[in-house]
Amino acid sequence: MAQTKPATPAAAAAAAAPATAKLVPAQSDIAFTFRQMGVPVDGHFKKFDAQVAFDPKNPAAGKVSLSIELGSATLGDAATDAELVKPEWFNVKKIPTATFQSTAIKALGGGKFEATGKLTIKGQVKDVVVPVALAQAGGTTTATGAFAIKRLDFNIGEGEWKDTSMVANDVQVKFKLALTGMAPL
């Protein structure tokens, strides 16, 4: 009679790990809004990637990782976009990417979740809580959400640009990530 070996903890964890979803860049967006001299200014990042291993029925086992190319930021004006890459703003030559790495995900009910994690911009790491709503249609899951950051917490706008009377400290970040290969809600 053959003996079966008990599953190793690593094998059991691998079996329980959710499948990795694939980002659909053409249907995804990461945008930001801030106020300059009291007027809202909208921008977005043209290049980013996401690694999402998430099962809506087991959110605690999920992991989300985002990488954003800061040099892809645009406000829709070439001259202004050229300023964003400079050391005072995103300092792209020194630190070209921003990242988000989840540390916990919990269900809130009704397709809503909360991802807690580390946001890193310009070498500054801050804990953030990101509300996420999931919707599914066909084979695509769309994750949407918004959260606020303080730009000065990440040294965005150094030197004379630290003055928040010109460019406000509050920045609203909004995202829409289209993903394929996620388990049903």
Side-chain angles (χ1 to χ4, degrees), residues 165-180:
S165 67
M166 285 289 290
V167 178
N169 195 22
D170 296 321
V171 178
Q172 185 75 13
V173 178
K174 295 180 277 189
F175 61 90
K176 178 178 102 172
L177 303 176
L179 304 157
T180 58

Side-chain angles (χ1 to χ4, degrees), residues 34-141:
F34 63 92
R35 291 190 169 275
Q36 183 167 341
M37 296 177 59
V39 178
V41 178
D42 296 318
H44 70 130
F45 295 98
K46 296 183 275 185
K47 295 181 183 178
F48 52 90
D49 194 21
Q51 286 74 45
V52 178
F54 183 74
D55 179 349
K57 295 188 178 16
N58 185 14
K63 293 281 181 203
V64 175
S65 177
L66 287 171
S67 177
I68 302 161
E69 290 185 33
L70 295 174
S72 75
T74 182
L75 300 176
D77 174 73
T80 305
D81 293 353
E83 292 297 314
L84 291 178
V85 302
K86 292 183 177 178
E88 297 83 6
W89 295 101
F90 286 134
N91 201 4
V92 172
K93 284 186 180 175
K94 186 174 178 189
I95 307 169
T97 58
T99 61
F100 171 80
Q101 180 65 52
S102 68
T103 54
I105 302 173
K106 70 179 183 179
L108 302 177
K112 296 190 181 339
F113 300 85
E114 187 175 85
T116 302
K118 306 271 184 203
L119 179 62
T120 305
I121 306 173
K122 287 183 75 176
Q124 303 301 307
V125 182
K126 301 291 177 197
D127 292 319
V128 294
V129 177
V130 181
V132 181
L134 296 182
Q136 293 180 323
T140 303
T141 300

